[in-house]
């Protein structure tokens, strides 16, 4: 899949989720997304936790059963569910997929170990102020 199409897919999905917000006329009786947004953060954050757990379980199944197409498909499906519910959270907090992509781009080429050390140093500075 072309990465540009992937970005388009995320943005299209983000626009749909945005249209389901209560302030945009989203109807909780007709839309799953509108229902989660109407219920508030506890509802969609709980779903993110569930989907994260299911993603881990699907990955562990591959570890134990080998990379079969069925198990790989399950992992892809669980990650899609996790991303979807994460997009709902982003919309609720008035953020876009582009914000996440910009952060990933900012981190590109940076050692993960260096990135974690920088974040810890920034947290220490913030608590000392």
């Amino acid at each position: 899949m072309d990465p540009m199409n992937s970005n388009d897919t995320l943005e299209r999905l983000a626009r749909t989720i945005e249209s389901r917000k209560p302030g945009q006329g989203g109807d909780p009786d007709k839309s799953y997304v509108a229902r989660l947004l109407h219920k508030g953060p506890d509802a969609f954050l709980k779903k993110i936790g569930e989907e994260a757990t299911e993603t881990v379980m699907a990955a562990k199944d591959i570890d134990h059963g080998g990379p079969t197409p069925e198990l790989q498909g399950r992992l892809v499906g669980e990650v899609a569910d996790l991303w979807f519910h994460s997009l709902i959270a982003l919309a609720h907090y008035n953020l876009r997929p582009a914000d996440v992509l910009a952060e990933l781009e900012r981190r590109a080429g940076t050692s993960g170990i260096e990135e974690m050390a920088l974040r810890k140093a920034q947290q220490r500075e913030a608590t000392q102020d």
Side-chain angles (χ1 to χ4, degrees):
M1 173 178 268
D2 176 13
M4 293 309 294
N5 288 340
S6 299
N7 293 348
D8 291 346
T9 299
L10 289 173
E11 277 304 319
R12 238 184 354 266
L13 186 53
R15 284 192 301 272
T16 299
I17 291 168
E18 188 72 24
S19 74
R20 302 300 197 266
K21 285 178 152 182
Q24 300 292 329
D27 184 346
D29 294 327
K30 295 181 181 175
S31 166
Y32 172 73
V33 171
R35 188 176 326 135
L36 285 177
L37 290 168
H38 178 76
K39 288 181 178 179
D42 285 349
F44 59 78
L45 295 175
K46 179 180 177 186
K47 285 301 296 180
I48 290 171
E50 289 172 8
E51 299 304 342
T53 299
E54 290 171 4
T55 297
V56 169
M57 291 168 48
K60 295 304 280 180
D61 286 346
I62 293 173
D63 286 343
H64 295 289
T68 66
E70 178 185 344
L71 294 177
Q72 289 174 319
R74 185 168 156 243
L75 177 58
V76 167
E78 296 301 345
V79 170
D81 291 345
L82 178 59
W83 286 14
F84 176 76
H85 289 90
S86 295
L87 288 170
I88 293 171
L90 288 174
H92 175 79
Y93 295 110
N94 298 313
L95 295 165
R96 309 280 307 168
D99 298 312
V100 177
L101 294 172
E103 177 62 11
L104 290 172
E105 183 64 30
R106 184 192 68 77
R107 294 180 186 185
T110 302
S111 160
I113 294 170
E114 290 172 8
E115 178 70 24
M116 286 188 296
L118 177 62
R119 277 188 265 163
K120 285 181 182 178
Q122 289 170 336
Q123 287 172 348
R124 279 193 300 272
E125 287 176 14
T127 58
Q128 292 174 357
D129 290 340

